[in-house]
Amino acid sequence: MVSQLNKQTIGVGIVGTGFIGPAHIEGLVRNGIRVLGLVESTPELAARKALELSIPRAYGNFESMLADPEIHVVHLATPNFLHFPQAKAALLAGKHVICEKPLALTAVQSAELVKLAAEKKLVNAVNFNIRMYPMVQQARSLVENGEIGDVFIIQGSYLQDWLLLPTDWNWRLEPGLGGTLRAVGDIGSHWLDLMTFVTGLKITEVYADFKTFLPIRKKPAKPLETFTGKLLTPEDYVDQPIKTEDYATILLHYENGAQGVLTVAQVCSGRKNRLFFEINGSKSSLSWNGEQPNELWIGHRNEPNQLLIKDPSLMSEEARSTASYPGGHAEGFPDTFKQLNKKVYQYIFNGDFDKKPDFPTFADGHYEMILCEAIERSAREKTWVKINS
């Protein structure tokens, strides 16, 4: 079956234009996809953002966007607590959905979305965009092709420093908006998804240890925009107890007997957005650092180690498809949105929704919800928790 939609006829709506919404828009525009309209928290903000981002339509609310027959795909870049109700409403309205992670706040909710998307035969994706770095794709190819042998150890971390100070504040700190997991749900889920993608291995059980180093933070008493251009004074803050984790270390057992360990934290000075992994196999090892995304380290026992610099002519066919520029021309974070959208929309245009997608779907988002709930339970009960997927 061939879809009647193409680049000239498809209409896309964006919900949320904070940090990540414009990244979605840029990735769409670079693929020649028509972004027709957007929704924000207020009609006034939507109108202003539509003007800034050159989007022709600013909807007064989410329901108005869903009622527009020219909108075929909805991108959700809203706070976490809105993902489930908005994704469900979009599916019921017959729209394809691309959602930021986490897909929902509970595995029960994410399971419902997987089921509904299948019943409606609608394309669905979760924005695990880090999969789309060319050197991550190359790492996956090397594992798939047996280049590193049997996987022994999967280790790494995802470290940031943007919540280091007591006065650092964001809606993700509030469980009602971001969920009861913070560091693990926000960034740990990216690492966990990435390792399943690269190795092809599922996790069988977890043991987690959490720590909240800043149990009381200073929350601005008014919206942050109010203070643009001036320093905050002590009177501008209120004390806010924090119930979510600043740090987590998680032991992982994988299905083939591989062992893993992940450290996640958002209070690490100097680490701006460092996702790091190392995979040790029976033949060789692989290592990748998201702050230097165009390099893949390959470690050997009986020959010199290698540092492979992103160059399509030296990469596998699968990895080459996510590299748009020749060797020596760096590709980074914005390019991952471009590459993910390219895969999702080509799938929509082809129209064969029975074919296995080559991008992360709601099923992947649901698996991450199962993992996160097990990790949270393990940290609470101080015990190993099996994954029942």
Side-chain angles (χ1 to χ4, degrees):
M1 181 179 73
V2 177
S3 171
Q4 295 180 342
L5 294 174
N6 55 48
K7 288 185 178 181
Q8 285 69 47
T9 60
I10 199 164
V12 177
I14 305 292
V15 190
T17 57
F19 160 60
I20 216 70
H24 281 257
I25 293 170
E26 180 184 343
L28 289 162
V29 171
R30 291 175 68 191
N31 278 292
I33 304 298
R34 184 176 62 151
V35 182
L36 196 57
L38 60 80
V39 175
E40 253 299 345
S41 55
T42 67
E44 295 76 20
L45 182 57
R48 178 162 62 85
K49 288 291 186 177
L51 185 63
E52 290 176 3
L53 297 166
S54 299
I55 306 299
R57 301 179 189 177
Y59 299 96
N61 53 51
F62 183 55
E63 292 73 22
S64 297
M65 172 183 282
L66 295 185
D68 188 342
E70 293 191 74
I71 294 291
H72 306 101
V73 189
V74 172
H75 285 241
L76 299 176
T78 48
N80 300 350
F81 77 102
L82 292 172
H83 292 175
F84 170 70
Q86 290 181 338
K88 182 177 179 179
L91 291 172
L92 290 172
K95 315 295 184 183
H96 306 297
V97 181
I98 291 87
C99 185
E100 272 300 320
K101 50 80 204 155
L103 178 58
L105 293 185
T106 70
V108 170
Q109 291 179 343
S110 57
E112 182 178 343
L113 293 178
V114 173
K115 183 172 183 278
L116 182 58
E119 290 173 351
K120 295 289 184 180
K121 299 187 183 302
L122 291 166
V123 176
N124 53 91
V126 176
N127 191 45
F128 287 122
N129 60 296
I130 298 174
R131 290 188 185 191
M132 299 301 155
Y133 279 105
M135 302 316 289
V136 167
Q137 297 273 329
Q138 179 68 16
R140 182 174 190 256
S141 294
L142 293 174
V143 175
E144 278 189 329
N145 296 333
E147 296 291 330
I148 73 165
D150 296 328
V151 175
F152 288 164
I153 303 166
I154 303 169
Q155 55 184 306
S157 60
Y158 201 151
L159 309 177
Q160 299 174 330
D161 70 359
W162 70 289
L163 291 175
L164 173 66
L165 304 177
T167 52
D168 290 330
W169 189 262
N170 182 268
W171 59 261
R172 291 173 176 82
L173 290 159
E174 302 188 51
L177 302 179
T180 54
L181 280 180
R182 192 220 318 153
V184 173
D186 187 29
I187 57 178
S189 58
H190 267 301
W191 190 96
L192 293 164
D193 173 77
L194 202 63
M195 291 302 90
T196 295
F197 174 72
V198 171
T199 66
L201 299 174
K202 292 291 186 73
I203 295 167
T204 60
E205 57 181 349
V206 298
Y207 190 103
D209 182 38
F210 289 0
K211 179 72 175 181
T212 302
F213 293 105
L214 299 171
I216 302 291
R217 287 181 180 265
K218 302 293 185 180
K219 178 182 179 179
K222 298 180 181 179
L224 288 175
E225 290 80 7
T226 303
F227 302 104
T228 301
K230 81 179 188 72
L231 294 175
L232 293 145
T233 64
E235 292 74 26
D236 294 322
Y237 295 103
V238 294
D239 285 349
Q240 182 69 39
I242 300 300
K243 304 297 184 183
T244 54
E245 77 283 1
D246 291 320
Y247 156 93
T249 285
I250 309 162
L251 297 177
L252 306 160
H253 288 170
Y254 285 84
E255 58 189 353
N256 76 330
Q259 304 278 96
V261 60
L262 164 65
T263 295
V264 181
Q266 295 174 313
V267 291
C268 301
S269 296
R271 296 302 187 190
K272 304 306 176 185
N273 194 46
R274 187 181 187 268
L275 187 158
F276 167 82
F277 70 76
E278 181 168 319
I279 302 171
N280 308 110
S282 58
K283 294 180 181 178
S284 60
S285 299
L286 300 173
S287 178
W288 183 79
N289 172 6
E291 290 186 341
Q292 296 172 300
N294 292 279
E295 301 178 1
L296 179 66
W297 178 85
I298 306 171
H300 302 290
R301 165 73 181 265
N302 296 319
E303 59 184 279
N305 295 335
Q306 299 170 266
L307 187 63
L308 177 61
I309 308 298
K310 191 221 76 177
D311 184 339
S313 68
L314 302 176
M315 294 158 58
S316 69
E317 182 179 351
E318 299 87 350
R320 195 179 305 129
S321 69
T322 58
S324 296
Y325 301 101
H329 298 76
E331 295 178 68
F333 183 74
D335 298 279
T336 64
F337 286 79
K338 169 189 166 185
Q339 299 296 346
L340 180 59
N341 282 315
K342 181 172 72 173
K343 289 180 180 293
V344 172
Y345 281 85
Q346 191 56 58
Y347 188 84
I348 292 173
F349 298 150
N350 288 343
D352 182 6
F353 299 164
D354 292 325
K355 182 180 179 181
K356 183 179 179 180
D358 58 349
F359 52 84
T361 67
F362 280 11
D364 298 294
H366 174 54
Y367 177 63
E368 290 306 313
M369 289 307 307
I370 293 171
L371 284 182
C372 284
E373 288 189 352
I375 289 166
E376 186 173 17
R377 179 185 159 199
S378 174
R380 182 175 62 249
E381 298 180 2
K382 305 297 182 186
T383 188
W384 283 94
V385 174
K386 293 190 179 298
I387 307 302
N388 297 313
S389 59

